Every structure is written in C-alpha cells, then in structure tokens.
Amino acid sequence: MGDREKTVVLKIGSSLLVDDLTGNLRMDFLYHLMNDVASMRARNYRVVLVSSGSVALGRRYGPTLASEDLTLPQKQAAAALGQPALMAAYRNFAFEHDLRVAQILITLSDFEDRKRFVNAEDTFEELLNQGAVPIVNENDTVATKHLRVGDNDRLSAKVCHLVEADELVILTNVGGLLDKKGKLVKRVETLDESIFALARGASGAGTGGMITKLLAAEIAVASGCRTHIASGSCVNPVLGAIDGEREHTVIESNITPESARHLWIATSL
Ligand code: GLU
C-alpha cells in the first residue's frame, strides 16, 4: 500500500452555495470552503469537489427561469446558464490560494460504460497529478432522467469509486443524521435497515434529503471510502469534519479503497 496520498471528495449542495431568497451566491460559504480546500491541499490531500448549484444560480439569467415549476428543458437551460457562473466563483476563490480548478461534467450512465469510466478515470488521475482541484457536476444537458435534486449525492459516491477516495464529506444544511429522539448519530459502523429507518420521513428542503445521502454513503463505503454527513454552515466546514472537531455523522467503511478496487475488477471480469 505504501504512502499513497489520501483523496477526499467534497459534495456541496445547492442550498449552501445559493441563497434561497436572493438567488445570490453565498460568498461567505465559498470563502470558508476554499480556505479548507487550500488547507487540505497543503496537507497533501488530493481534493475533488462535486458541486451542485448550477440550476439554482442559472434561474436568474433567463426571464422565465425564476418560477418554481420549471420544465425539464428550462431546468437544463438554467443549468447551462448557471454552470459558468458557478465555475467563475470557484475559480476566483481558488485564485486567492494559488489553486487551479478544473470543470468535469459527467452523467451517471458514464460510469456504466467501461470505456468511458476508464477515460474519466485517466483524466481525473492526470488532473490530480497536476495538482488541480476537479469540480464535478452532472452534465445536465444530456442527463434528462437524472436532473432532479439529490442526484449529486449519488454522483459524488460514484466519483469516490472512480478516484479511489478515502473520505467523502457530504456538506449539507443539517448537522448529520438524527436518531428517534432527535439526537445526532455520531458513528455508524454498519449501514443497515435500522439506520435507513431513521432517515425515512426526514426531508431536507433543496438538499435531496437524508435518504439519498445514506444511499450515497452506501455506495461510497462499499468502495472503501469513509463517509461524513456534516453541516456546511460554519467556519471550517471540511476540516472540522475530517479532524473530528465538529460533531457530525461518520459512516465507517470496513475495507480499503484498494481492496474494493481489486474486488470490483475480479467480479466484473
Ligand atoms: N446538477 C444540478 C445543479 O447543479 C443539481 C443536482 C443535485 O443537486 O443533485 O443544479
């Protein structure tokens, strides 16, 4: 195994990035997030972001895109309008830390096609070797069936598999998973039905809810990636979770990314 650099995937929900009322980017969040990304890079972590926000941001750029009920093509248009604005914001904050960001648009079906999977894997690897921070979003223009809130949770877990991530941090607007008494579940050893039962009925407006986060965690831990579900509305949204200084939910994996990869190759041949 050796001294492989650790890889972390950060999943960023729309509600953290874009203010619900004004439709403006939440600069304070971006500031704290990119500070942490820079600290993680300084610790030699490879960092990948999976960021939503294009639809929420793009609504302001079309005269009829602000309404609640958008058609699928309208959502796709909003995503196409919002995505460059989102990347511009990330790029500006990254610039302050002398970091380079790279845009990757991908769909879930790309992961099912072996050739595309391998091509994407090579591109990620090269970007990470170049010290860049890939920022992934779903390619909403073509991902018709998938353009619904919550998919980026699943996408982030698939990305963990692709880059053999050690940690997935799902940043959201709640502090983690709560038990029946409303107390934070700090550590999950086995993600079984009793855990999913806790999330059922809990809905997080605009975040895809806790169920999709647990489903994402299920995919991530199966590829050897420990998963954190934590609030993003704080000063060190990522470091606080990774270093365990802020209470949140940790879902453990009992395998390493390498052994998960070997198993995957063995079973898919
Ligand atoms: N790709 C969509 C966006 O950038 C969001 C999908 C999601 O949040 O799950 O707005």
Side-chain angles (χ1 to χ4, degrees):
M1 252 185 264
D3 286 341
R4 179 173 88 84
E5 274 184 2
K6 292 225 172 191
T7 304
V8 61
V9 174
L10 313 176
K11 193 270 167 181
I12 321 292
S14 299
S15 56
L16 291 170
L17 278 167
V18 183
D19 188 295
D20 252 3
L21 292 176
T22 62
N24 291 332
L25 270 168
R26 291 188 49 205
M27 296 299 184
D28 54 339
F29 169 72
L30 272 167
Y31 171 81
H32 293 305
L33 173 71
M34 290 314 274
N35 269 347
D36 273 8
V37 170
S39 305
M40 297 297 289
R41 288 291 304 128
R43 288 185 191 182
N44 265 336
Y45 269 84
R46 295 170 157 225
V47 183
V48 177
L49 265 64
V50 175
S51 177
S52 306
S54 65
V55 175
L57 202 57
R59 286 170 173 277
R60 52 154 68 181
Y61 298 122
T64 60
L65 299 179
S67 86
E68 270 305 304
D69 288 317
L70 296 186
T71 62
L72 186 60
Q74 283 176 326
K75 271 192 200 168
Q76 290 171 304
L81 285 160
Q83 182 66 20
L86 185 62
M87 286 306 297
Y90 274 120
R91 197 166 182 270
N92 284 341
F93 279 95
F95 186 73
E96 300 289 316
H97 298 284
D98 204 18
L99 292 173
R100 279 165 305 278
V101 295
Q103 171 180 270
I104 296 206
L105 299 177
I106 198 164
T107 66
L108 285 172
S109 56
D110 293 325
F111 291 86
E112 278 141 35
D113 181 301
R114 174 101 191 121
K115 220 168 162 188
R116 284 168 177 249
F117 184 94
V118 172
N119 277 341
E121 194 176 33
D122 290 347
T123 307
F124 270 102
E125 179 65 20
E126 195 54 54
L127 282 169
L128 293 169
N129 287 344
Q130 300 296 330
V133 178
I135 301 185
V136 186
N137 198 353
E138 181 138 42
N139 187 359
D140 289 323
T141 307
V142 295
T144 49
K145 268 189 260 149
H146 301 300
L147 187 55
R148 58 187 155 87
V149 170
D151 265 1
N152 273 8
D153 289 329
R154 215 150 40 111
L155 188 68
S156 67
K158 297 270 193 179
V159 168
C160 287
H161 180 198
L162 193 73
V163 299
E164 290 184 39
D166 302 272
E167 317 255 0
L168 166 65
V169 184
I170 301 180
L171 292 177
T172 181
N173 52 5
V174 294
L177 174 70
L178 302 180
D179 69 13
K180 282 187 204 130
K181 294 183 185 138
K183 261 185 67 193
L184 186 73
V185 178
K186 291 187 200 158
R187 197 178 149 93
V188 175
E189 291 284 350
T190 314
L191 193 49
D192 57 17
E193 182 45 39
S194 69
I195 302 294
F196 277 97
L198 295 176
R200 222 156 271 137
S203 79
T207 65
M210 196 49 76
I211 290 272
T212 64
K213 291 179 176 44
L214 293 182
L215 287 170
E218 196 173 35
I219 300 170
V221 297
S223 56
C225 180
R226 179 196 286 141
T227 302
H228 307 255
I229 302 174
S231 164
S233 309
C234 47
V235 172
N236 290 120
V238 183
L239 289 185
I242 294 267
D243 292 345
E245 276 161 16
R246 201 176 66 254
E247 290 196 335
H248 66 289
T249 301
V250 180
I251 301 146
E252 298 290 348
S253 171
N254 45 23
I255 47 175
T256 65
E258 290 98 331
S259 61
R261 168 55 59 105
H262 291 152
L263 186 70
W264 183 71
I265 291 170
T267 52
S268 57
L269 277 180

